[in-house]
Amino acid sequence: MNVTVQPDKLTAKDFASDQEVRWCPGCGDYAILKAMHKSLADMGARPENTVFISGIGCSSRFPYYMATYGFHTIHGRAPAIATGVKLARPELDVWVVTGDGDALSIGGNHLFHALRRNVDLNILLFNNEIYGLTKGQYSPTSRVGQRSPSTPMGSVDSPAEACTYALGCGARFIARGIDVQAKELDVLFRRAREHKGASFVEIIQNCIVYNDAVFESFTAKDVAADMQLHVKHGQPMLYGKDRNKGLRFNPQTFKIETVVVGENGVTEKDILVHDETNRVLASLLVALRPPNAPEVLGVIYCDPAAQSYEVAVKAQEAQAKAKGPGDLDKLMRAGNTWSVT
Amino acid sequence: MNLQADASRNGGPAGAPVSKSDLDSIVVRFAGDSGDGVQMLGSQFSQETALAGNSLATFPDFPAEIRAPTGTTYGVSAFQINFGSRVVKTAGDQPDVLVALNPAALMVNYKGLRKGGLVILDQGAFKEKDIKRAGFTVDPRTDGTLKEFRVLEIDISAQTLEVAKPFGVTQKEALRAKNLWTLGLVSWMYDREMNSTMEYLTRKFGADDAVGKANVAALKAGHAYGETHELSGDVAPITMPSVKVEPGVYRLVSGAEALSWGLAAGAQLAGLETVLASYPITPSSPILHILAKLKQFGITTFQAEDEIAACCAAIGASYAGKLGITASSGPGIALKTEAIGLAISTELPLIIVDTQRGGPSTGLPTKTEQSDLFIAVWGRNGDAPIPVIASKSPGDCFEVAIEAVRLATKYMTPVMLLSDGYIANAAEPWLIPSMKDYKPFPVKFHEDVEGFHPFKRDPHTLARVWAKPGTPGLMHRIGGIEKDYNSGNISYDPANHQKMTDTRAAKIDNIANDIPEQDVAVGDTKGKLAVVGWGSTFGPINRAVHNMREKEGLDVSHIHIRHIWPLPRNLGQLLKSYEKVLVAEMNNGQMLTFLKSQFLVDAKGLLKVSGQPLKIEEVSSAIRSMLGSN
């Protein structure tokens, strides 16, 4: 057997495949890809033990650009295929790359069940609120009124909110990042990989061709600081240029409201402290969306279960095997048999 | 013009009761409400019959509803068994004995009974409202409806209640033992040992359970009733001599069992662990249930969220280096087609089991049909060939499943294995195979880094290498987009797509050189007429062809096709050596169309889509008609 000797410390380059990247120039996917190459190298991941699985759509071309194992599958089904991979080989580090159409429209059911079962997958949903590869139709995350080839007068149906959906599905790790924020993405990738169970990461991703600047209300340079809240476990949820804006819980309305420290008697003590293990808090945070509130970024929820799905499955199998390996001849002769001589 | 199988037309030997001395097989049909435990009654009687050394074939025939309203005709559940001292090949055209546990069961089944046959009725279930509910305007016992049959009326309900009540069970629980009382009686009629049923009841209820005790008491009481009551001469006990068969250890096996064990055996021979991913669907679910209990064999089972996910998870497992299997039935197979295409395109092994049922759409979930041949062979987008093989009987499922695993792993391809509702549920005596008699075909995963690319092919089989994740140096990407022949990278090159399409087809075509040539099941390799069948019609066609040759001296042969795609390489030639070809199948002419298109043979069809298996007499009369002998 020939084994390629890998240098001990891999670099971002070692995770980039030799294939030419074919996203549109300026696409947010480039930044995410680059962040992933670097993160995996920094985390000490091994390319041979890493698998990227995707469905169909622009984001789903991701595996072709990774020098790991990769499987570009069919529309919406990546979580199901990844579940099969994980059931067969729990030791593999399995990432699912999907988009808003792939994950929340055609594949909504599979995403639900992968999260509910808590399969140890790292699921990255690139949300650009549009169908890119099919040339610009509105997607399940498009906002009401989205004009597109299929909705020339504007869409009329309410959008899905990815993190709210994931939380409702029973996900125990939910995070949100922005395509160009490599440093923050690095943390999210690392945390997602460390989390045992299904990790769900929504990445706000700009489609430069069909939906450019749709996230400007919180990504534009001039508003970013005032419209992005980067949460950290155990720290008060403060944001803003002057870090004087914050979130406060109003027990009368059972809502989270944005306040300014120093105004109307608000002190830092009134500001909510992030507790990523608190599901109720997570449900309030994922519901906050610009322009009425800041975009909440970072690890919003992380509350690992005792074991992930495939670990529980393997435990049952080990229990069955403990009674001795299967013997087909014996099995087929068990019960009522008779001999003919 | 094709021939229509018409169940109502076939008479068979009508008239006087067959004298007991020349009986070499008997067909008994049990029928009752879907809550009466008729399937348990039938399968226990089958077990006793098998242990007595008779050949047998069974036909569980039940409604899709779990508990339909009591006393309705659509809630009738039936179980037919044909047993004999000669080799039995079908569950029998016409019952000799009908056990009807209520008027609805009589209504649904009495017309199929042989003239002169015996009807055993539960008198206690024939109250006026029950009779009306079954759709009789007048009591069928008094108006001559049953005049062509012998009728034995016993108040089975009352007898059962009397014996079961003392065990302190409720009226309802006591009455539910009437299937066991009936089994006791029928066991007496055919001289059966009831030990296996007693053991079954002890296993099921435990030795001290009141319901279990009531059931055992009912069983014994039914038997004692036969012994002590002076039943009419016709109902005197019959001892059926045992059948002469190959020596060895036998058991009863259903198609679902043999198929599941065959998959486990195939995986073992390939040296692979397996992941079976399925979604519950009738009549395929028993495969999931059986394999879920075989974890110690390295089998992982996964009840997926839907049929698509099931197929996808199986593909994921194969990609990861295990054997992915998915089992379903028609509607589920339809949902899996896109995923199957992915496995074809990425050239991964995958076993797809299709236990066919009546269609289209939801069709007849619990009834049998062979109408998925087209979807199996052709039912995908793009040019997407896969091997398709079909099982002919419950026991044969074991062999076919092993063959499916061999082909899937050797040629890196999905394989469709066709069974059907009849095979899956029916049971037959089975000479239990020994694993040492099977030659292993171990899978070799690719590990050589030198010159590796994921679509590197074996020059003989054209199978691509199987390199599993976790192997250092072989990291690669595959997907549903067309791949370059020489690197496996994405390619939109026109000439490359032609080459890849041709290669995928050639790989599958080439399997024809790795499967047996087509043989003739009965008869000569040339002659006036060949009756061609596939799948579960093997039994009736085989028996009919035998009978026509032996009893009527007709020049007819039986060709049974196991490998449906690719077809055996000599099949076209073989078919052309007969003057006429008749394709008998349970669909509207799929194999018929298929053979015509492949070989330009002027075949006729004997086509039946009633949800019921073909009858021997239907095939016989089609043979007579084709040969102008009637």
Side-chain angles (χ1 to χ4, degrees):
Chain A
M1 184 182 118
N2 297 317
V3 178
T4 312
V5 180
Q6 300 269 6
D8 277 339
K9 176 76 182 125
L10 299 178
T11 65
K13 258 188 168 164
D14 296 312
F15 284 89
S17 77
D18 60 356
Q19 296 297 292
E20 194 186 338
V21 184
R22 297 189 190 180
W23 287 310
C24 306
C27 174
D29 289 352
Y30 282 94
I32 305 170
L33 179 67
K34 212 173 150 209
M36 181 59 79
H37 289 158
K38 187 172 181 318
S39 285
L40 286 177
D42 292 349
M43 283 186 251
R46 303 300 304 183
E48 66 270 22
N49 296 331
T50 307
V51 185
F52 277 83
I53 296 172
S54 63
I56 293 293
C58 292
S59 61
S60 289
R61 299 297 177 95
F62 201 90
Y64 287 117
Y65 311 131
M66 298 296 304
T68 61
Y69 283 89
F71 199 175
H72 178 219
T73 71
I74 46 178
H75 208 9
R77 319 301 173 198
I81 288 178
T83 299
V85 171
K86 205 66 190 174
L87 275 172
R89 305 275 304 284
E91 74 278 15
L92 294 171
D93 194 5
V94 182
W95 298 76
V96 171
V97 180
T98 181
D100 40 309
D102 192 56
L104 295 173
S105 198
I106 192 165
N109 193 35
H110 307 306
L111 177 60
F112 163 37
H113 291 281
L115 294 173
R116 167 187 74 80
R117 289 193 184 102
N118 198 30
V119 187
D120 188 18
L121 303 171
N122 310 315
I123 302 168
L124 312 180
L125 188 157
F126 299 5
N127 183 6
N128 57 14
E129 299 187 2
I130 205 80
Y131 280 84
L133 203 59
T134 51
K135 302 198 191 310
Q137 299 83 356
Y138 85 119
S139 92
T141 54
S142 294
R143 295 160 210 185
V144 174
Q146 175 91 40
R147 287 178 191 273
S148 79
S150 58
T151 51
M153 295 171 71
S155 63
V156 293
D157 41 334
S158 294
E161 204 291 299
C163 289
T164 304
Y165 178 75
L167 194 67
C169 293
R172 310 194 68 127
F173 180 97
I174 293 169
R176 192 189 280 141
I178 296 175
D179 50 8
V180 295
Q181 295 184 347
K183 225 173 71 195
E184 286 79 3
L185 283 184
D186 178 64
V187 174
L188 302 190
F189 293 160
R190 193 180 292 267
R191 289 287 310 275
R193 185 166 177 266
E194 281 166 5
H195 177 79
K196 295 299 162 213
S199 314
F200 179 82
V201 182
E202 179 190 10
I203 303 173
I204 302 298
Q205 179 253 325
N206 189 47
C207 173
I208 195 163
V209 175
Y210 294 109
N211 213 12
D212 194 23
V214 71
F215 302 115
E216 281 292 277
S217 67
F218 62 93
T219 57
K221 267 199 181 121
D222 54 335
V223 296
D226 283 332
M227 288 306 289
Q228 294 179 13
L229 166 61
H230 293 267
V231 295
K232 283 205 178 80
H233 183 64
Q235 293 188 14
M237 292 192 267
L238 286 164
Y239 64 104
K241 266 196 297 286
D242 309 317
R243 276 193 76 76
N244 62 342
K245 294 183 172 181
L247 301 186
R248 182 175 72 175
F249 181 66
N250 183 335
Q252 266 80 47
T253 61
F254 218 83
K255 279 180 183 166
I256 282 183
E257 52 197 23
T258 56
V259 292
V260 179
V261 176
E263 282 179 16
N264 303 321
V266 174
T267 70
E268 228 185 287
K269 272 192 196 151
D270 297 316
I271 303 301
L272 271 169
V273 170
H274 184 44
D275 174 4
E276 64 184 24
T277 67
N278 185 333
R279 194 171 185 277
V280 176
L281 177 63
S283 71
L284 296 171
L285 292 176
V286 292
L288 298 177
R289 298 312 297 264
N292 303 322
E295 181 81 346
V296 180
L297 301 161
V299 177
I300 297 170
Y301 182 54
C302 178
D303 182 24
Q307 56 186 0
S308 57
Y309 175 70
E310 75 289 345
V311 170
V313 169
K314 294 297 146 190
Q316 282 194 348
E317 289 173 6
Q319 202 185 327
K321 283 176 188 163
K323 292 176 199 150
D327 179 339
L328 270 173
D329 286 317
K330 230 187 202 168
L331 173 79
M332 294 190 289
R333 281 163 184 76
N336 289 313
T337 62
W338 66 96
S339 288
V340 175
T341 48
Chain B
M1 176 53 204
N2 296 317
L3 307 165
Q4 289 297 316
D6 182 356
S8 65
R9 205 176 47 187
N10 77 89
V18 179
S19 90
K20 267 181 252 85
S21 55
D22 56 60
L23 269 183
D24 58 6
S25 70
I26 297 173
V27 179
V28 179
R29 189 170 176 91
F30 303 99
D33 234 10
S34 45
D36 278 344
V38 168
Q39 299 305 321
M40 192 271 251
L41 162 57
S43 56
Q44 283 306 316
F45 182 67
S46 306
Q47 191 66 253
E48 294 175 3
T49 300
L51 292 173
N54 288 155
S55 178
L56 68 90
T58 71
F59 175 36
D61 188 9
F62 47 87
E65 290 76 18
I66 303 299
R67 295 270 189 280
T70 318
T72 57
T73 51
Y74 55 88
V76 171
S77 175
F79 186 102
Q80 188 164 314
I81 174 170
N82 183 6
F83 58 95
S85 55
R86 62 163 189 184
V87 173
V88 163
K89 293 181 174 172
T90 75
D93 282 9
Q94 287 183 303
D96 299 300
V97 177
L98 170 66
V99 179
L101 295 177
N102 71 359
L106 181 69
M107 180 60 146
V108 174
N109 291 293
Y110 79 91
K111 285 176 190 151
L113 189 63
R114 179 174 60 75
K115 281 187 184 130
L118 172 69
V119 184
I120 301 175
L121 297 177
D122 175 14
Q123 202 171 42
F126 276 70
K127 308 223 167 57
E128 203 186 326
K129 77 168 173 23
D130 304 318
I131 293 168
K132 289 261 147 43
R133 188 147 207 208
F136 291 109
T137 43
V138 191
D139 190 334
R141 298 170 299 175
T142 58
D143 73 343
T145 300
L146 304 177
K147 67 173 187 291
E148 290 177 319
F149 313 117
R150 293 169 292 140
V151 179
L152 173 62
E153 272 191 72
I154 306 170
D155 195 339
I156 298 174
S157 298
Q159 294 281 341
T160 306
L161 280 177
E162 193 187 314
V163 65
K165 270 311 245 316
F167 292 92
V169 296
T170 65
Q171 172 99 2
K172 205 173 152 191
E173 284 168 337
L175 201 56
R176 276 169 76 174
K178 87 177 187 181
N179 58 342
L180 284 151
W181 195 96
T182 309
L183 177 57
L185 179 72
V186 179
S187 298
W188 167 78
M189 283 171 63
Y190 298 108
D191 194 19
R192 299 286 175 239
E193 292 285 340
M194 303 192 297
N195 295 348
S196 65
T197 303
M198 306 265 207
E199 284 164 21
Y200 165 81
L201 291 171
T202 312
R203 257 198 327 273
K204 187 171 173 191
F205 294 102
D208 300 326
D209 184 82
V211 176
K213 282 182 182 165
N215 275 302
V216 171
L219 177 72
K220 287 182 177 164
H223 196 274
Y225 185 96
E227 282 171 41
T228 54
H229 283 69
E230 213 155 292
L231 299 176
S232 74
D234 283 336
V235 199
I238 294 172
T239 306
M240 178 76 67
S242 58
V243 64
K244 287 201 172 36
V245 289
E246 208 182 318
V249 181
Y250 283 76
R251 68 170 299 140
L252 270 191
V253 78
S254 72
E257 282 169 331
L259 203 150
S260 305
W261 297 342
L263 291 170
Q268 205 166 80
L269 295 168
L272 291 176
E273 294 198 314
T274 39
V275 176
L276 169 90
S278 277
Y279 184 75
I281 185 169
T282 302
S284 165
S285 301
I287 296 170
L288 172 61
H289 307 164
I290 293 165
L291 290 176
K293 289 187 198 141
L294 300 186
K295 294 179 171 51
Q296 67 275 28
F297 289 86
I299 296 169
T300 301
T301 55
F302 173 56
Q303 182 180 317
E305 58 269 29
D306 59 31
E307 295 282 0
I308 297 171
C311 193
C312 286
I315 291 170
S318 287
Y319 171 73
K322 299 214 170 165
L323 178 65
I325 304 171
T326 189
S328 189
S329 185
I333 299 298
L335 284 166
K336 294 178 197 292
T337 52
E338 189 197 10
I340 296 170
L342 176 69
I344 292 168
S345 178
T346 51
E347 302 188 41
L348 284 167
L350 173 71
I351 309 287
I352 309 130
V353 181
D354 180 359
T355 303
Q356 300 165 93
R357 67 189 217 188
S361 187
T362 306
L364 302 171
T366 60
K367 307 296 177 190
T368 196
E369 208 163 281
Q370 297 181 301
S371 47
D372 290 352
L373 185 138
F374 280 171
I375 199 176
V377 179
W378 287 319
R380 287 163 293 280
N381 60 308
D383 289 303
I386 55 169
V388 178
I389 54 179
S391 154
K392 68 178 180 187
S393 68
D396 188 48
C397 287
F398 186 79
E399 311 297 332
V400 170
I402 291 175
E403 176 69 351
V405 178
R406 183 184 76 88
L407 293 178
T409 52
K410 182 170 177 183
Y411 293 92
M412 293 292 282
T413 177
V415 174
M416 181 85 76
L417 197 174
L418 295 176
S419 170
D420 65 35
Y422 174 63
I423 290 179
N425 292 314
E428 66 175 2
W430 186 46
L431 177 58
I432 306 172
S434 285
M435 285 310 293
K436 65 170 168 32
D437 297 335
Y438 292 85
K439 195 169 166 247
F441 41 85
V443 163
K444 270 193 148 167
F445 288 101
H446 191 83
E447 290 177 341
D448 189 357
V449 177
E450 193 61 39
F452 168 79
H453 73 82
F455 283 80
K456 200 171 163 176
R457 292 175 191 279
D458 179 294
H460 302 293
T461 62
L462 297 179
R464 78 169 182 96
V465 293
W466 194 1
K468 58 179 177 185
T471 314
L474 299 189
M475 289 77 74
H476 64 272
R477 279 63 56 192
I478 58 172
I481 298 183
E482 188 59 282
K483 290 137 293 264
D484 181 71
Y485 185 89
N486 296 310
S487 70
N489 290 329
I490 290 182
S491 169
Y492 299 103
D493 179 70
N496 178 72
H497 180 54
Q498 182 75 54
K499 188 173 184 182
M500 286 297 276
T501 303
D502 294 346
T503 304
R504 285 186 289 263
K507 179 177 83 168
I508 304 303
D509 289 346
N510 181 39
I511 292 173
N513 297 314
D514 193 17
I515 58 172
E517 289 207 339
Q518 182 63 52
D519 61 358
V520 176
V522 181
D524 306 317
T525 52
K526 59 181 186 204
K528 285 195 175 144
L529 175 65
V531 184
V532 179
W534 64 282
S536 72
T537 53
F538 176 84
I541 297 174
N542 201 263
R543 176 60 74 199
V545 170
H546 257 297
N547 289 352
M548 290 301 98
R549 289 177 65 86
E550 282 170 22
K551 295 183 186 164
E552 302 184 19
L554 299 181
D555 179 6
V556 56
S557 302
H558 175 203
I559 294 175
H560 178 81
I561 302 175
R562 164 181 283 194
H563 285 271
I564 289 169
W565 192 261
L567 287 162
R569 54 196 180 279
N570 64 325
L571 180 62
Q573 215 44 50
L574 182 63
L575 291 178
K576 283 171 186 157
S577 64
Y578 299 92
E579 287 169 29
K580 291 178 174 178
V581 173
L582 174 70
V583 180
E585 54 185 337
M586 298 186 293
N587 60 48
N588 228 357
Q590 299 193 9
M591 177 58 88
L592 177 68
T593 306
F594 188 58
L595 292 179
K596 282 179 175 176
S597 77
Q598 293 299 308
F599 305 121
L600 297 175
V601 287
D602 182 21
K604 299 274 182 283
L606 170 65
L607 312 174
K608 178 175 177 178
V609 278
S610 64
Q612 301 292 317
L614 267 183
K615 293 186 174 182
I616 298 166
E617 186 50 32
E618 289 167 342
V619 182
S620 300
S621 96
I623 292 170
R624 288 189 203 103
S625 151
M626 288 285 284
L627 292 176
S629 81
N630 54 349

